[in-house]
Amino acid sequence: MILVLLAGGLWFGLAARRGVSVQFTPSVVPVAPSPTPSRSIDLTGWKLILPETGPTGDAASITPAVVFPPWLVRQPDGSLRFWAPVCGASTPNSEHPRTELNSLTNFTAGASGRRTLAASVAVSRVPAAGGEVIIGQIHGAENISSVPFVMLRYGAGQLWVVVRKGQSGSASDKFPLLGGVGLGGWFNYLISDNGDGTLTVAASLGVDGPRVTIPIPPPFLGATVRFQAGAYQQGDTYFGGCAGGDGALVTFAALQQTPDAR
């Protein structure tokens, strides 16, 4: 076991990265040039969750977030590439490894003023078995840190949002946003807690696109939550995903939470 001090945060890792089987093949589907001007995404205000085993036996994390190849790689144009294998360490109460940024700033759902997560994204690989990846969330924090709330999902060229109805059980509402989004194609998304008891989720392939606004379900109104973004793959290992290096590959050309966490 090694102990590393990274950008002011402690991270425990396995010297040989034992228990993680990965074949990193990012060239399966090329990503078109970034649609935004060349600039680096700021990692200030985020924690990075990794598909590697940490000291507790669950997924390791780095606070504050830093680039960490092969899982999180900064591209020459400043974009960030997230690689999440099907096989790897996962967080408690999840079966799926992820490479994901968790906001260090919590807020009260429906009562903290307008809070937004905006991104420009290209998904260039999805798990062979399952075929879906979650690329943005409003997630429970503090005493409900294991509870997902709003999940933006991509699969089979489709983008949709799932909103949980309660803090337990599986009841949820599903709202379609985009179709015909091929692997490697860029699109934009916005997740907003409007601060008035409603949520808005929007997506576009260009300047404009569909927008869904709904009331925050009562069990989440007033709950402590946070934003998350990255590659939270939803595949499984039933068909040899470990041997084949299966997983999800997602590139962010822009990512910003507001109010700014700095």
Side-chain angles (χ1 to χ4, degrees), residues 146-158:
S146 64
V147 181
F149 174 24
V150 178
M151 295 163 283
L152 192 63
R153 305 175 74 110
Y154 172 93
Q158 309 293 312

Side-chain angles (χ1 to χ4, degrees), residues 168-191:
S168 60
S170 59
S172 62
D173 288 319
K174 176 180 176 180
F175 302 94
L177 292 169
L178 295 176
V181 184
L183 289 174
W186 290 97
F187 58 92
N188 305 312
Y189 75 71
L190 172 74
I191 302 174

Side-chain angles (χ1 to χ4, degrees), residues 9-30:
L10 290 176
W11 175 76
F12 292 83
L14 297 179
R17 298 189 177 183
R18 294 187 295 272
V20 180
S21 176
V22 176
Q23 294 180 16
F24 185 55
T25 53
S27 61
V28 172
V29 176

